[in-house]
C-alpha cells in the first residue's frame, strides 16, 4: 500500500491512477468510519467525499512508512467531528445494526429468514459494548469496516497472526455475551462471510480526476 500511496502523491496520469486505486480499495472503509458518527446516509456520503478531497490535497505531505491507514482514519474522524460541532452536536460514536452485512436482504431469502438475521445483527451491535476495547476494535475493523487482517493489524499495531487470533477469541467472547438460542458456529460463519463479501455501494461518487483537478485549481 505504501508504494501506491507514494505514487498517488505524484502529479499526472500515473498519480491519478494510483489515487483512483486507493479510493477503490478504501472508499468503503472511509464511509464506514463516517457512519459511526453520522446516521444520515446522504450526509455521510458527502463527508466521505470531503475526506478524499482532503486526502488528495495533502497526500504529498504524507511521510511514507508512518502508517497510512492511521493517517486516513485521523482525517476521517476529524472531518466527521468537525461537521457535528458545526451543527452543535456532540461527537458520539454509535454502532448501528445496518452497518453489518448480516442486516441485508439476500436473494431468495424469506421474510422469516431476513427477520432472524436482523435480530442477530441487532444483537451483535448491542452486545459489542460488552467486549474489551481491543476485542471490540478488531471486530469493528474486520466486520463493520471490512478491513483485511493485514489492514486491521496496521491500525492496531499488531501482527497479522495476532489479529487473526484476537478475532477468533473476540467472536467467542461475543457469542458468550449474546442471548441464548443463537448458534456460535452460525454467527461466526455469517460474520466471516460479511467480511469477505463486503462491497458497499455508496451511490454517486466523485470522479477521482475531477476531484484532483478541483483541488489543484484552488
Amino acid at each position: 500500500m505504501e508504494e501506491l500511496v507514494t505514487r498517488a502523491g505524484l502529479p499526472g496520469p500515473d498519480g491519478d491512477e494510483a489515487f483512483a486505486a486507493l479510493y477503490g480499495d478504501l472508499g468503503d472503509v472511509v464511509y464506514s468510519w463516517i457512519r459511526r458518527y453520522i446516521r444520515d446516509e446522504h450526509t455521510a456520503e458527502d463527508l466521505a467525499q470531503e475526506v478524499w478531497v482532503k486526502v488528495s490535497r495533502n497526500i504529498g505531505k504524507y511521510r511514507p512508512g508512518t502508517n497510512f491507514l492511521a493517517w486516513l482514519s485521523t482525517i476521517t474522524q476529524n472531518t466527521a467531528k468537525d461537521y457535528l460541532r458545526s451543527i452543535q452536536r456532540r461527537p458520539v460514536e454509535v454502532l448501528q445494526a445496518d452497518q453489518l452485512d448480516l442486516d441485508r436482504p439476500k436473494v431468495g431469502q424469506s421474510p422469516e429468514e431476513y427477520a432472524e438475521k436482523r435480530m442477530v445483527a441487532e444483537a451483535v451491535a448491542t452486545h459489542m459494548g460488552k467486549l474489551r476495547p481491543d476485542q471490540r476494535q478488531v471486530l469493528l475493523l474486520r466486520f463493520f469496516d471490512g478491513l483485511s487482517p493485514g489492514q486491521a493489524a496496521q491500525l492496531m499495531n499488531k501482527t497479522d497472526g495476532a489479529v487473526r487470533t484476537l478475532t477468533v477469541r473476540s467472536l467467542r467472547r461475543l457469542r458468550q455475551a449474546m442471548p441464548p438460542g443463537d448458534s456460535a458456529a452460525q454467527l461466526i460463519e455469517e460474520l466471516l462471510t460479511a467480511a469477505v463479501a463486503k462491497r458497499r455501494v455508496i451511490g454517486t461518487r466523485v470522479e477521482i480526476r475531477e476531484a484532483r483537478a478541483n483541488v489543484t485549481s484552488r
Side-chain angles (χ1 to χ4, degrees), residues 5-49:
V5 174
T6 300
R7 284 177 50 215
L10 299 174
D14 186 57
D16 290 342
E17 181 182 351
F19 193 87
L22 263 183
Y23 180 80
D25 290 344
L26 298 172
D28 290 352
V29 175
V30 167
Y31 178 78
S32 295
W33 285 340
I34 290 285
R35 282 294 306 278
R36 290 193 200 166
Y37 298 92
I38 309 297
R39 187 69 184 128
D40 180 75
E41 293 182 7
H42 296 296
T43 301
E45 290 171 9
D46 291 342
L47 291 175
Q49 302 297 359

Side-chain angles (χ1 to χ4, degrees), residues 92-129:
V92 177
E93 187 177 19
V94 178
L95 191 61
Q96 303 290 341
D98 62 5
Q99 292 172 260
L100 181 65
D101 274 356
L102 282 176
D103 187 37
R104 294 177 180 277
K106 305 293 190 300
V107 176
Q109 190 177 56
S110 70
E112 292 77 15
E113 289 173 331
Y114 172 65
E116 180 181 355
K117 294 293 186 279
R118 171 76 181 181
M119 291 177 62
V120 174
E122 291 176 346
V124 169
T126 298
H127 293 282
M128 287 279 282

